[in-house]
Amino acid sequence: MVREPVVRALRERRIAPGSSASRWRRGVDAPSKFAATRGLIDLRSDTVTRPTAAMRRAMAAAEVGDDVYGEDPSVNALQADIAERLGFEAAVFVASGTQSNLCALLSHCGRGDEFIAGHHAHTYLFEGGGAAALGGIQPQPLPFAADGTVALDAIRAAIKPDDDHFARTRLLCLENTQAGKPLPLSYLHRALWLASDESTFVTGQAHVVDGGATLGRAWNAQPAWMRRQRPITVYRPPGR
């Protein structure tokens, strides 16, 4: 079993990517370590959950169609339901949270633009550099505080001046929850104000709430606040 110091380090993300403990966190070595363990509650991630038998039956019996032509009734119903719940004009179903995050980054940023995120944010650290590789978007990581926030003064200081020598600061990415900690609502309001202040982002302002730990975990916690965000990643792992 993993000892408490390792669990604490995983929660605080103090274990380096690629280490044996990090591999355990991502599930690479999990089968051999847990095969003989019974009754263990696995809290590494919500992604390790499994669908129940009833869920599998529902999936097998679901109506299907060609999604390219927009004829899959199950996908269409899911997208319509999410859009209605969150007060959006539309929603789109994608295969993973990483793909959803990339869609959000590409919708706000062009080549030579920059997004600000925490130094352990999923969009920065755990998505294979997709923003840079596929979108030509530069990340600007800033340290996370112990409560999962990024200091607003640090965000403001990281915004580049309007100069051709710099990447254009275009987007602020927040992650909720971060390392298992929900962001304080008061902080989110202040961050939203900062990103919406026309005097702050010299080339246009935007904000996105997402990350490996997305607002799907806060589904019933902040519905009114969630409707103010553009866009939102709602992540629904199997078995939930």
Side-chain angles (χ1 to χ4, degrees):
M1 293 186 63
V2 177
R3 303 300 181 186
E4 179 60 28
V6 176
V7 174
R8 189 182 310 114
L10 290 171
R11 289 172 179 164
E12 297 174 359
R13 298 195 180 183
R14 290 189 284 105
I15 291 179
S19 66
S20 58
S22 175
R23 287 168 58 81
W24 177 85
R25 176 184 179 274
R26 291 182 286 113
V28 177
D29 298 328
S32 61
K33 292 181 181 295
F34 290 94
T37 304
R38 296 180 180 275
L40 178 67
I41 298 176
D42 191 343
L43 299 178
R44 287 173 296 155
S45 173
D46 52 11
T47 60
V48 299
T49 56
R50 296 290 185 268
T52 65
M55 292 176 181
R56 293 184 185 276
R57 289 193 297 270
M59 285 185 267
E63 293 185 80
V64 296
D66 193 310
D67 189 51
V68 172
Y69 293 107
E71 296 174 353
D72 189 307
S74 296
V75 171
N76 292 343
L78 173 63
Q79 293 176 159
D81 180 63
I82 295 295
E84 180 180 2
R85 285 172 182 260
L86 298 183
F88 280 67
E89 294 180 4
V92 60
F93 172 71
V94 295
S96 70
T98 296
Q99 184 178 1
S100 178
N101 290 342
L102 182 61
C103 288
L105 292 170
L106 294 176
S107 69
H108 282 298
C109 299
R111 295 188 178 277
D113 286 346
E114 171 187 84
F115 72 95
I116 296 174
H119 71 305
H120 282 154
H122 205 275
T123 49
Y124 169 64
L125 190 59
F126 294 107
E127 297 187 359
L134 301 176
I137 306 166
Q138 171 178 291
Q140 173 59 68
L142 296 174
F144 274 124
D147 62 355
T149 63
V150 177
L152 298 183
D153 288 343
I155 293 172
R156 188 180 295 275
I159 297 170
K160 307 297 187 292
D162 189 5
D163 187 304
D164 290 340
H165 294 88
F166 299 106
R168 297 176 296 273
T169 304
R170 185 72 172 175
L171 181 68
L172 171 61
C173 292
L174 301 176
E175 184 169 296
N176 193 23
T177 60
Q178 207 292 313
K181 304 180 185 74
L183 298 181
L185 188 57
S186 59
Y187 170 82
L188 292 171
H189 285 153
R190 294 195 303 273
L192 175 61
W193 178 88
L194 173 64
S196 302
D197 183 1
E198 294 183 1
S199 66
T200 301
F201 285 69
V202 294
T203 57
Q205 61 284 342
H207 52 280
V208 54
V209 179
D210 66 352
T214 65
L215 279 173
R217 300 179 188 174
W219 185 258
N220 296 313
Q222 300 166 355
W225 179 85
M226 289 167 67
R227 294 189 185 99
R228 299 178 60 192
Q229 312 311 306
R230 297 294 187 271
I232 292 175
T233 292
V234 176
Y235 179 52
R236 301 302 295 272
R240 295 192 65 184

